[in-house]
Amino acid sequence: MPAFEDLPRDTQLARMEDAARTTLNDRYGITPGPFTLQQYEDNCVYRTDTADGPYTVRMSVRDGRPAQHQASELRWLDSLTHTSTVAAPRPVTAIDGAFVIETAVPGLGSTTIAVFGWVPGQAEPPFREPGIAEGMGTVTGQLHHHAANTALPHDFARPTWEPADILDRGYALTHPDHPLLGDDGAAALRAVAERIHSHGPAPSSDHGLIHGDLHRENMLLTPEGTIAVIDFDDCGLGAYTLDIATVLSSIHRLCRDEPDVYADFTSRFLAAYEKVRPLPASMDRFEDFLLLRDAFIINFVTSSTNSEVANWGPRRVAGLIAQMRSHLDGQPYPGTLAI
């Protein structure tokens, strides 16, 4: 029998959907309707429409987070949604109360399923429109305020996103001969790590539970005109400034040749954040966090075996490595404007 990753994409998805349908019926008491694929990278994410409304079904495909890590993620989401702090996916528990269910997929073995209420809204909020920068800044501040004021249970388990986790122990530098890194990509990453480490750790007050992947594509413009946040799969413990850098980096990519547009967005975003909570002290080292964000992306691409990531990933890695080399040669890192 061929390995799961060697099967045609449609065959893989058919097996995932069959397993999801069975699990929803048997373990959640949900009768699924039509399935619509939302994403297929390291997770397989579906929307299914039922008589009770739509749900999001997320299945871990390749080396997903352990079940305990996913359950901790869903506990944070449960707290966020029950307190109405932030519009976010509401976790749906199984019949037995479990947040995460293990299920079998032929050829893949055991995988996990998590189910969420569907969050309505427009994907990738139009960042140029009035109020969007303020909405993104507000929701980022609300996430961090909630994290800073919510006690974590003793068995809470999520990854940590400190510089050493992303750089020294990241996939790229632990696989320095990866072909996507080119001749000196690993050397550039090591030089970035040395520079960031030389600045010392961010203040402990700047650290807490963060989203971890808070780019524009993980935000929605809701029908009420507010900003919702989705995809908490990378949430973990790290510096709040990393989330801010992730948002602003994703905006900078869209208007990098329009510095006035980016400066205006940044100013309004940060002002809205400050209305919720003070900016982290480590904002004075913002370039470090832009570099960490891009190293995070390089780790994701180089570690992925997904065919869709293979379509866009090599060009993205080459561009990020080139940016890092230019920065090491003395150029400001892209995205530092107006910080």
Side-chain angles (χ1 to χ4, degrees):
M1 177 181 294
F4 187 82
E5 58 267 24
D6 294 330
L7 295 171
R9 181 177 184 274
D10 288 348
T11 302
Q12 294 179 13
L13 290 172
R15 293 187 180 185
M16 299 294 285
E17 182 177 332
D18 285 346
R21 286 183 175 278
T22 299
T23 303
L24 286 174
N25 270 307
D26 296 350
R27 302 296 302 275
Y28 287 87
I30 295 172
T31 302
F35 271 54
T36 306
L37 184 67
Q38 303 297 303
Q39 181 190 65
Y40 186 40
E41 291 182 350
D42 285 354
N43 287 320
C44 181
V45 183
Y46 288 105
R47 168 177 168 152
T48 184
D49 292 281
T50 76
D52 299 324
Y55 294 93
T56 300
V57 180
R58 185 184 74 195
M59 307 178 74
S60 294
V61 184
R62 297 176 181 85
D63 297 325
R65 306 284 180 209
Q68 183 185 6
H69 280 211
Q70 293 187 57
S72 293
E73 168 204 353
L74 269 64
R75 289 168 75 173
W76 187 29
L77 279 168
D78 193 52
S79 176
L80 282 169
T81 54
H82 271 83
T83 58
S84 300
T85 301
V86 169
R90 174 183 56 83
V92 177
T93 55
I95 294 171
D96 62 2
F99 278 122
V100 181
I101 295 296
E102 294 196 15
T103 191
V105 176
L108 183 62
S110 179
T111 189
T112 55
I113 288 184
V115 180
F116 310 86
W118 181 261
V119 180
Q122 177 184 348
E124 302 180 36
F127 72 97
R128 298 175 187 269
E129 292 189 5
I132 299 300
E134 291 82 357
M136 288 185 175
T138 297
V139 79
T140 304
Q142 289 169 335
L143 275 175
H144 294 168
H145 178 77
H146 182 274
N149 291 278
T150 301
L152 299 177
H154 72 279
D155 59 346
F156 192 86
R158 291 298 303 173
T160 56
W161 296 126
E162 300 301 331
D165 300 308
I166 297 171
L167 290 163
D168 308 71
R169 293 187 288 274
Y171 189 89
L173 281 185
T174 55
H175 297 76
D177 295 327
H178 194 287
L180 290 187
L181 294 177
D183 293 337
D184 60 352
L189 282 168
R190 280 192 288 267
V192 165
E194 289 174 7
R195 179 168 297 188
I196 291 175
H197 292 328
S198 72
H199 297 159
S204 59
S205 59
D206 282 13
H207 286 70
L209 186 56
I210 62 173
H211 182 279
D213 196 24
L214 196 59
H215 56 79
R216 173 174 166 264
E217 293 178 19
N218 281 337
M219 294 184 175
L220 302 173
L221 177 60
T222 71
E224 296 75 29
T226 59
I227 300 296
V229 179
I230 60 173
D231 192 358
F232 284 69
D233 185 47
D234 286 315
C235 71
L237 299 170
Y240 297 125
T241 303
L242 183 58
D243 269 354
I244 296 173
T246 300
V247 178
L248 295 181
S249 176
S250 73
I251 298 300
H252 184 265
R253 288 186 64 224
L254 302 174
C255 57
R256 62 188 309 145
D257 297 325
E258 302 173 277
D260 291 344
V261 172
Y262 179 63
D264 178 64
F265 182 95
T266 298
S267 175
R268 291 186 288 120
F269 174 93
L270 295 177
Y273 184 102
E274 286 189 285
K275 289 182 179 179
V276 179
R277 68 189 307 271
L279 286 171
S282 55
M283 285 293 292
D284 64 358
R285 293 166 42 187
F286 193 67
E287 271 189 332
D288 286 358
F289 292 96
L290 291 170
L291 285 158
L292 287 170
R293 169 60 189 171
D294 286 348
F296 182 97
I297 295 170
I298 292 170
N299 287 335
F300 170 72
V301 173
T302 53
S303 65
S304 179
T305 59
N306 181 267
S307 59
E308 294 185 14
V309 176
N311 288 332
W312 59 264
R315 184 172 63 253
R316 187 76 183 280
V317 168
L320 295 178
I321 293 292
Q323 286 182 181
M324 290 178 178
R325 290 196 197 103
S326 294
H327 177 63
L328 292 166
D329 288 339
Q331 297 300 313
Y333 202 70
T336 57
L337 182 64
I339 300 301

